Amino acid sequence: KQWYQRRVAITAGNHDQTIPTDISIKNYHLLISPKDMTPLDPRDYIITTYTDGSKHKDDSTGYGVIIFLDKEHYITENYTLSKHHTVFQCEAHALYRASKILTDILSTPDSVEYRAIIYTDSQALIKSLQKSHTSNKTILMVHNALNSLSTSNLISVEWIPGIMATLR
């Protein structure tokens, strides 16, 4: 198995507001499955990604991303953010970084359309992306990254309860 790890610096953000911006045009799909509905099957997608953000008792924060390219190749990234980040911002940074990594991986000159699913356990994040406008800089950054990634790829972002990620 091949294993890659990337670490990147992300600017701390306790001033996360901007002027209201239109995010109604979405090239990507968002899904919050009811608890009794079967989530999308990851086998229907070529690339499966899981993201998570967290804040610990000592106020340290961070995020993690794991991207399964196939059964033997995957990429992980984890990073510690500042103690000023909220859990929501950590979750958003995880989705942002997943989008940027996937953009790097899936940028091919042969115009192949890839299908990728990104799982998050943050309903609040998906609900923020479902809105038609945002005044949150991080949400705008995530939206733009997902739209860019989705220009030539089929991208779905799905909410699953945190425990589901360990069951897949």
Side-chain angles (χ1 to χ4, degrees):
K1 291 189 176 186
Q2 292 187 1
W3 178 77
Y4 305 91
Q5 183 174 10
R6 293 178 167 183
R7 296 182 64 101
V8 294
I10 291 184
T11 306
N14 32 351
H15 303 305
D16 209 13
Q17 297 300 305
T18 186
I19 60 170
T21 305
D22 184 353
I23 61 168
S24 61
I25 297 173
K26 296 171 177 58
N27 299 324
Y28 53 92
H29 306 280
L30 298 166
L31 179 64
I32 298 177
S33 300
K35 290 182 180 178
D36 58 348
M37 184 179 131
T38 304
L40 297 174
D41 189 339
R43 292 172 295 194
D44 292 337
Y45 291 83
I46 293 172
I47 297 173
T48 304
T49 303
Y50 295 91
T51 64
D52 197 21
S54 61
K55 186 166 195 151
H56 305 283
K57 290 179 183 177
D58 66 357
D59 285 336
S60 63
T61 64
Y63 71 83
V65 174
I66 185 162
I67 300 170
F68 293 97
L69 304 172
D70 56 38
K71 292 181 180 181
E72 295 189 15
H73 299 89
Y74 58 92
I75 296 171
T76 65
E77 177 174 295
N78 57 65
Y79 194 77
T80 302
L81 300 169
S82 81
K83 67 180 182 179
H84 302 291
H85 282 85
T86 64
V87 173
F88 178 83
Q89 288 171 321
C90 294
E91 295 279 3
H93 281 301
L95 184 53
Y96 171 77
R97 284 300 305 151
S99 300
K100 297 303 277 184
I101 295 167
L102 286 169
T103 297
D104 289 346
I105 294 168
L106 303 181
S107 296
T108 60
D110 53 4
S111 300
V112 173
E113 179 183 270
Y114 290 96
R115 294 183 341 220
I117 188 164
I118 305 171
Y119 290 110
T120 177
D121 63 357
S122 176
Q123 278 193 31
L125 178 57
I126 291 180
K127 287 178 180 178
S128 292
L129 287 165
Q130 286 176 330
K131 295 179 180 178
S132 61
H133 288 79
T134 188
S135 51
N136 182 296
K137 288 179 187 176
T138 305
I139 290 302
L140 182 58
M141 182 175 70
V142 172
H143 167 76
N144 290 337
L146 284 168
N147 257 354
S148 177
L149 172 62
S150 301
T151 300
S152 58
N153 300 292
L154 177 63
I155 305 300
S156 297
V157 180
E158 182 181 356
W159 172 79
I160 55 172
I163 191 66
M164 290 268 302
T166 61
L167 301 176
R168 295 231 172 200

